Amino acid sequence: SVADFGVYALFLSWWNVGLHLGSFGLNSFMQNYLPGRGLSEQQKIVGGLFQFVCSVMFIFGVLSFFLIGEHIMAWLNLSHYFRTSLLVVGAIMISGIATIPHMWLSVLEKLNVANALYGLNSTLWIILSAFEVIFTGRLVLWHVVLYWVVGALSQFLVSLVQLKGSALHLLKSVFS
């Protein structure tokens, strides 16, 4: 519907702002600071960055859900989109967390994989939305946002698989 299209534009803006703010400029830091360092030193640095981003994204998620969420959505007169806005928050959180292993692939000069994963995250939601329209004849807003989450999660998981043993170090850094 026309109303859903307007809300979609708002959510897309939130997602894009969240992606840029959620990376904290760490992608530039990693590309400039990590090359030339040994793998064990890179693992320590990237593990710390990963732990930081996971912590901040967790706090962002809690604040979005409990303190800001319903009040902002009511103020915008979009209360009935609250659940969909939570999916947007999830997409921002997963995308922010996925930035670290994705950038590390670039630093490790696995550029083909990193670029393919960026393409996956950027286009998977479009492909899934097209299939939904083709097979059902309609497109539901919360499905599109769910497809954003699927793209971000796919990028994150494939990045971890590509990092192999280093991925375990990243995951352990969150819980240490």
Side-chain angles (χ1 to χ4, degrees):
S1 70
V2 173
D4 281 350
F5 182 76
V7 174
Y8 166 78
L10 178 66
F11 286 165
L12 184 62
S13 298
W14 289 357
W15 186 40
N16 283 319
V17 168
L19 289 178
H20 291 290
L21 294 178
S23 69
F24 303 102
L26 293 176
N27 50 354
S28 296
F29 171 79
M30 289 174 66
Q31 289 174 344
N32 292 323
Y33 188 74
L34 292 179
R37 300 188 184 280
L39 184 60
S40 62
E41 187 178 0
Q42 284 185 15
Q43 286 177 334
K44 278 177 58 175
I45 295 166
V46 173
L49 296 175
F50 189 71
Q51 186 177 26
F52 169 75
V53 171
C54 286
S55 300
V56 170
M57 287 298 154
F58 176 77
I59 292 167
F60 167 74
V62 169
L63 290 175
S64 296
F65 182 74
F66 289 110
L67 301 178
I68 301 169
E70 287 190 68
H71 302 293
I72 294 284
M73 296 306 285
W75 182 72
L76 293 171
N77 199 22
L78 298 172
S79 296
H80 54 284
Y81 290 102
F82 178 66
R83 288 189 178 132
T84 306
S85 73
L86 293 178
L87 280 175
V88 174
V89 169
I92 292 169
M93 292 171 62
I94 294 168
S95 295
I97 291 168
T99 299
I100 300 298
H102 178 251
M103 282 295 113
W104 198 13
L105 286 171
S106 296
V107 169
L108 294 173
E109 298 180 358
K110 295 184 177 187
L111 298 177
N112 289 338
V113 174
N115 288 336
L117 290 175
Y118 178 78
L120 175 73
N121 191 8
S122 301
T123 60
L124 185 61
W125 70 272
I126 297 169
I127 295 166
L128 293 173
S129 296
F131 281 132
E132 182 173 342
V133 169
I134 290 167
F135 292 113
T136 68
R138 64 189 182 102
L139 187 60
V140 180
L141 177 62
W142 76 268
H143 292 175
V144 174
V145 177
L146 181 64
Y147 301 152
W148 295 348
V149 172
V150 169
L153 192 57
S154 299
Q155 179 187 19
F156 177 65
L157 294 175
V158 174
S159 292
L160 291 179
V161 168
Q162 289 295 314
L163 288 169
K164 298 178 182 139
S166 296
L168 290 175
H169 181 77
L170 277 181
L171 296 175
K172 287 179 185 175
S173 71
V174 174
F175 301 106
S176 62

Coordinates of all heavy atoms in Angstrom, one line a residue, residues 11 65 69-70 73 78-90 141-142 145-146 149:
F11 N 11.9 3.2 7.3 CA 12.7 2.0 7.8 C 14.0 1.9 7.1 O 15.1 1.6 7.7 CB 11.9 0.7 7.8 CG 10.8 0.6 8.8 CD1 9.9 -0.3 8.7 CD2 10.8 1.5 9.9 CE1 8.9 -0.5 9.7 CE2 9.8 1.3 10.9 CZ 8.8 0.4 10.8
F65 N 14.3 -1.3 22.2 CA 13.1 -2.1 22.5 C 12.4 -1.5 23.7 O 11.2 -1.3 23.7 CB 13.4 -3.6 22.8 CG 12.2 -4.4 23.1 CD1 11.4 -4.8 22.1 CD2 12.0 -4.8 24.4 CE1 10.2 -5.5 22.4 CE2 10.9 -5.6 24.7 CZ 10.0 -6.0 23.7
G69 N 11.5 2.5 21.6 CA 10.7 1.8 20.6 C 9.2 2.3 20.6 O 8.8 3.0 19.6
E70 N 8.4 1.9 21.5 CA 7.0 2.1 21.4 C 6.7 3.6 21.5 O 5.7 4.1 20.9 CB 6.2 1.4 22.6 CG 6.2 -0.1 22.3 CD 5.3 -0.8 23.3 OE1 4.0 -0.6 23.2 OE2 5.8 -1.6 24.1
M73 N 7.5 5.2 18.1 CA 6.5 4.7 17.1 C 5.1 5.3 17.3 O 4.4 5.7 16.4 CB 6.4 3.2 17.1 CG 7.7 2.5 16.7 SD 8.3 3.0 15.1 CE 7.2 2.2 14.0
L78 N 2.8 5.4 14.2 CA 3.1 4.2 13.6 C 3.1 3.0 14.5 O 3.8 2.0 14.3 CB 4.4 4.3 12.8 CG 4.6 5.3 11.8 CD1 6.0 5.4 11.3 CD2 3.6 5.0 10.6
S79 N 2.3 3.1 15.6 CA 2.3 2.0 16.6 C 2.1 0.6 16.0 O 2.6 -0.3 16.5 CB 1.2 2.3 17.7 OG 1.6 3.5 18.3
H80 N 1.2 0.5 15.0 CA 1.0 -0.8 14.4 C 2.1 -1.4 13.6 O 2.1 -2.5 13.2 CB -0.3 -0.8 13.6 CG -0.4 0.2 12.5 ND1 -0.6 1.6 12.8 CD2 -0.2 0.1 11.2 CE1 -0.5 2.2 11.6 NE2 -0.3 1.4 10.7
Y81 N 3.2 -0.6 13.5 CA 4.4 -1.1 12.8 C 5.5 -1.4 13.8 O 6.7 -1.6 13.5 CB 4.9 -0.1 11.8 CG 4.1 0.1 10.6 CD1 3.3 1.2 10.5 CD2 4.1 -0.8 9.5 CE1 2.5 1.4 9.3 CE2 3.4 -0.7 8.4 CZ 2.5 0.4 8.3 OH 1.8 0.6 7.2
F82 N 5.2 -1.4 15.1 CA 6.2 -1.6 16.2 C 7.0 -2.9 16.0 O 8.2 -2.9 16.0 CB 5.6 -1.6 17.5 CG 6.5 -1.8 18.6 CD1 7.6 -0.9 18.9 CD2 6.5 -3.0 19.4 CE1 8.5 -1.1 19.9 CE2 7.4 -3.2 20.4 CZ 8.4 -2.3 20.7
R83 N 6.3 -4.0 15.7 CA 7.0 -5.3 15.5 C 7.9 -5.3 14.3 O 9.0 -5.8 14.4 CB 6.0 -6.5 15.4 CG 5.3 -6.8 16.7 CD 4.5 -8.0 16.6 NE 3.9 -8.3 17.9 CZ 2.6 -8.6 18.0 NH1 1.8 -8.7 17.0 NH2 2.2 -8.9 19.2
T84 N 7.5 -4.6 13.3 CA 8.3 -4.5 12.1 C 9.6 -3.6 12.4 O 10.7 -3.9 11.9 CB 7.6 -3.9 10.9 OG1 6.4 -4.7 10.7 CG2 8.4 -3.9 9.6
S85 N 9.4 -2.6 13.2 CA 10.5 -1.8 13.6 C 11.5 -2.6 14.4 O 12.7 -2.3 14.4 CB 10.0 -0.5 14.4 OG 9.6 -0.9 15.7
L86 N 11.0 -3.6 15.2 CA 12.0 -4.4 15.9 C 12.8 -5.2 15.0 O 14.0 -5.5 15.2 CB 11.2 -5.3 16.9 CG 10.5 -4.6 18.1 CD1 9.8 -5.6 18.9 CD2 11.5 -3.8 18.9
L87 N 12.2 -5.7 13.8 CA 13.0 -6.4 12.8 C 14.1 -5.4 12.2 O 15.2 -5.9 11.9 CB 12.1 -6.9 11.7 CG 11.4 -8.2 12.0 CD1 10.4 -8.5 10.8 CD2 12.3 -9.3 12.2
V88 N 13.7 -4.1 12.0 CA 14.7 -3.2 11.5 C 15.9 -3.1 12.5 O 17.0 -3.1 12.2 CB 14.1 -1.8 11.3 CG1 15.1 -0.8 10.9 CG2 13.0 -1.9 10.2
V89 N 15.6 -3.0 13.8 CA 16.6 -3.0 14.9 C 17.5 -4.2 14.8 O 18.7 -4.1 14.8 CB 16.0 -2.8 16.3 CG1 17.0 -3.0 17.4 CG2 15.3 -1.4 16.4
G90 N 16.8 -5.4 14.6 CA 17.6 -6.6 14.4 C 18.5 -6.6 13.2 O 19.6 -7.0 13.3
L141 N 5.4 -5.7 3.9 CA 6.5 -4.9 4.4 C 7.3 -5.7 5.4 O 8.6 -5.6 5.3 CB 5.9 -3.6 5.1 CG 6.9 -2.7 5.7 CD1 7.9 -2.2 4.7 CD2 6.3 -1.6 6.5
W142 N 6.7 -6.3 6.4 CA 7.6 -7.0 7.4 C 8.4 -8.1 6.7 O 9.5 -8.5 7.2 CB 6.8 -7.5 8.6 CG 5.9 -8.7 8.4 CD1 4.6 -8.7 8.1 CD2 6.3 -10.0 8.7 NE1 4.2 -10.0 8.1 CE2 5.2 -10.8 8.4 CE3 7.5 -10.6 9.0 CZ2 5.2 -12.2 8.5 CZ3 7.6 -12.0 9.1 CH2 6.4 -12.8 8.9
V145 N 11.6 -6.5 5.4 CA 12.5 -6.2 6.5 C 13.1 -7.5 7.0 O 14.3 -7.6 7.3 CB 11.8 -5.5 7.7 CG1 12.7 -5.3 8.8 CG2 11.3 -4.1 7.2
L146 N 12.3 -8.6 7.1 CA 12.9 -9.9 7.4 C 13.9 -10.3 6.4 O 15.0 -10.9 6.8 CB 11.8 -11.0 7.5 CG 12.2 -12.4 7.8 CD1 12.8 -12.4 9.3 CD2 11.0 -13.3 7.7
V149 N 17.2 -8.9 7.3 CA 17.8 -9.7 8.4 C 18.5 -10.9 7.8 O 19.6 -11.3 8.2 CB 16.8 -10.0 9.5 CG1 17.4 -11.0 10.5 CG2 16.2 -8.8 10.2

